[in-house]
Amino acid sequence: MTGASVAASSEVPAAARYGMTMPVEDGLSAPQLLALYEAAEEAGYHTALCGEVAGAEVLSLMGMAATRTSRIRLGSGILATYTRPAPLAAMGFATLASAAPGRIVAGFGASSPIIVGRWHGIPFDKPFTTTREYLELFGQVMAGGKVGYGGERLACDGFRLQMQPPEPVPVWLGAMGDRMLALAGQVADGAFLAWCPTGEVAAKRAIIAEAARAAGRDPASVELICSFWGYAGDRPDEARERMRRSVLAYAMVPTHQHCFAGCFDRLEEAAEAWAAGDRRRALGFVDDAVVDAVCAVGVDAVRRRIAEYIDAGIDTPILLPTGAAPGDTEGSMQTVLRCAP
């Protein structure tokens, strides 16, 4: 499929697989989120993920989802490498894998100084080193046997996982910068992108592939996943304005800001206004072109974005079906069903 044909059509390739991720910033309850898991499986989505911000606790929600579904792949997208010790995370994912063999994916990432430092009170020091060591330690624990690990940031002495997963649990790395992309290519089973315009996918995939080859790995063995915010409900204008505010908020996070440099022409001006406390002025710099670069509003726009991501080299596009406003579970459900495979 050529880029031109994608731009002119909202058709998704017949062989495509794609997933969805829970709108965890919408304030939805566990029953409401579980309804989305069930709807996604019934509608034919390949994967259902859940991130972790300040709402649902992911491992418990994935456990509930594992008992309410039977086919769909379930993953974390993405858990911070600071807020759970790696042995504890391994215990959680081994438990999930025993309940849903072959359907569980463990996704990790450094997160941000806001979530880690301000909210959880943990120093956000050396995120690259911390994340690299976390993946190493997590892998050792999941492999079984007594663990002896001593790194610059993390250590574990004598731990042995007493519940072995019946099948290996793939590990994804949330990667935004070049170093994290390369690390994913070196050691992870998947690289998880977010806030990534389609035109930037090829360069990111090239970094992953080069690192994989240097590590003696087949680049094709590293799954490339990318999430984007989408809305296909009955309140598109409200949804677009909500996305505009969300794009601004994420673009102001220090660890995320560089992701928007290629599509946010007035990013520097917005950052200056934000730093001065003038949120209204900062929002004024987020025009529709910025929103449309990383989000999609309307059924055709969502399907077109999925097709564009696949054409650009994403193995598994992930739709985040945001509501038009916090608590809008109807809008999220409409988006899941109307944009289903």
Side-chain angles (χ1 to χ4, degrees):
M1 180 178 292
T2 65
S5 64
V6 169
S9 171
S10 61
E11 289 299 319
V12 176
R17 70 179 192 185
Y18 57 95
M20 56 84 66
T21 187
M22 296 297 139
V24 295
E25 296 180 72
D26 283 12
L28 304 186
S29 66
Q32 290 171 322
L33 292 170
L34 290 171
L36 291 174
Y37 274 109
E38 292 175 320
E41 178 171 84
E42 183 65 24
Y45 285 82
H46 177 271
T47 300
L49 306 178
C50 187
E52 192 170 76
V53 182
E57 192 282 323
V58 169
L59 297 187
S60 58
L61 184 66
M62 286 177 62
M64 288 183 273
T67 67
R68 299 275 286 267
T69 60
S70 61
R71 303 181 305 277
I72 197 166
R73 182 171 61 167
L74 305 172
S76 59
I78 293 292
L79 296 185
T81 54
Y82 288 83
T83 54
R84 275 183 194 79
L88 181 61
M91 292 163 60
F93 282 103
T95 303
L96 289 168
S98 71
R103 294 201 289 135
I104 301 300
V105 176
F108 299 109
S111 189
S112 74
I114 294 172
I115 291 177
V116 174
R118 286 169 50 186
W119 294 1
H120 289 276
I122 301 170
F124 191 72
D125 296 335
K126 297 189 174 181
F128 178 80
T129 300
T130 299
T131 299
R132 176 178 54 78
E133 293 186 0
Y134 193 98
L135 297 187
E136 291 172 353
L137 178 52
F138 181 83
Q140 284 192 23
V141 174
M142 292 295 281
K146 186 177 290 187
V147 176
Y149 184 87
E152 178 184 345
R153 299 281 298 155
L154 304 178
C156 179
D157 183 20
F159 182 87
R160 186 193 302 270
L161 185 64
Q162 296 178 335
M163 178 187 286
Q164 285 301 119
E167 296 186 31
V169 175
V171 174
W172 291 351
L173 175 60
M176 291 187 168
D178 291 356
R179 294 180 75 197
M180 287 294 187
L181 290 166
L183 181 60
Q186 292 163 6
V187 303
D189 299 297
F192 187 98
L193 311 180
W195 304 113
C196 179
T198 55
E200 298 179 11
V201 170
K204 293 180 185 295
R205 185 163 197 118
I207 293 170
I208 296 166
E210 181 180 358
R213 283 191 290 267
R217 309 177 70 203
D218 179 1
S221 69
V222 184
E223 184 176 353
L224 190 57
I225 308 99
C226 184
S227 69
F228 69 98
W229 289 40
Y231 180 83
D234 296 334
R235 298 156 60 185
D237 293 340
E238 292 176 65
R240 175 176 288 279
E241 291 312 305
R242 185 180 183 205
M243 289 176 179
R244 194 185 313 280
R245 294 191 297 273
S246 296
V247 167
L248 175 64
Y250 274 93
M252 296 301 101
V253 177
T255 50
H256 294 30
Q257 195 165 110
H258 68 278
C259 296
F260 297 85
C263 65
F264 195 162
D265 291 339
R266 306 187 72 179
L267 178 61
E268 185 174 339
E269 294 168 273
E272 290 175 357
W274 183 275
D278 192 344
R279 302 293 194 260
R280 182 182 297 275
R281 182 166 179 267
L283 186 64
F285 294 119
V286 187
D287 59 25
D288 284 351
V290 180
V291 177
D292 291 338
V294 289
C295 305
V297 179
V299 176
D300 286 346
V302 171
R303 290 188 172 277
R304 184 163 53 248
R305 183 59 47 83
I306 291 168
E308 289 169 348
Y309 273 129
I310 292 169
D311 189 61
I314 295 296
D315 298 308
T316 311
I318 300 290
L319 164 65
L320 191 161
T322 183
D328 176 27
T329 185
E330 182 180 10
S332 294
M333 183 64 77
Q334 288 171 338
T335 302
V336 168
L337 296 179
R338 293 172 181 175
C339 300

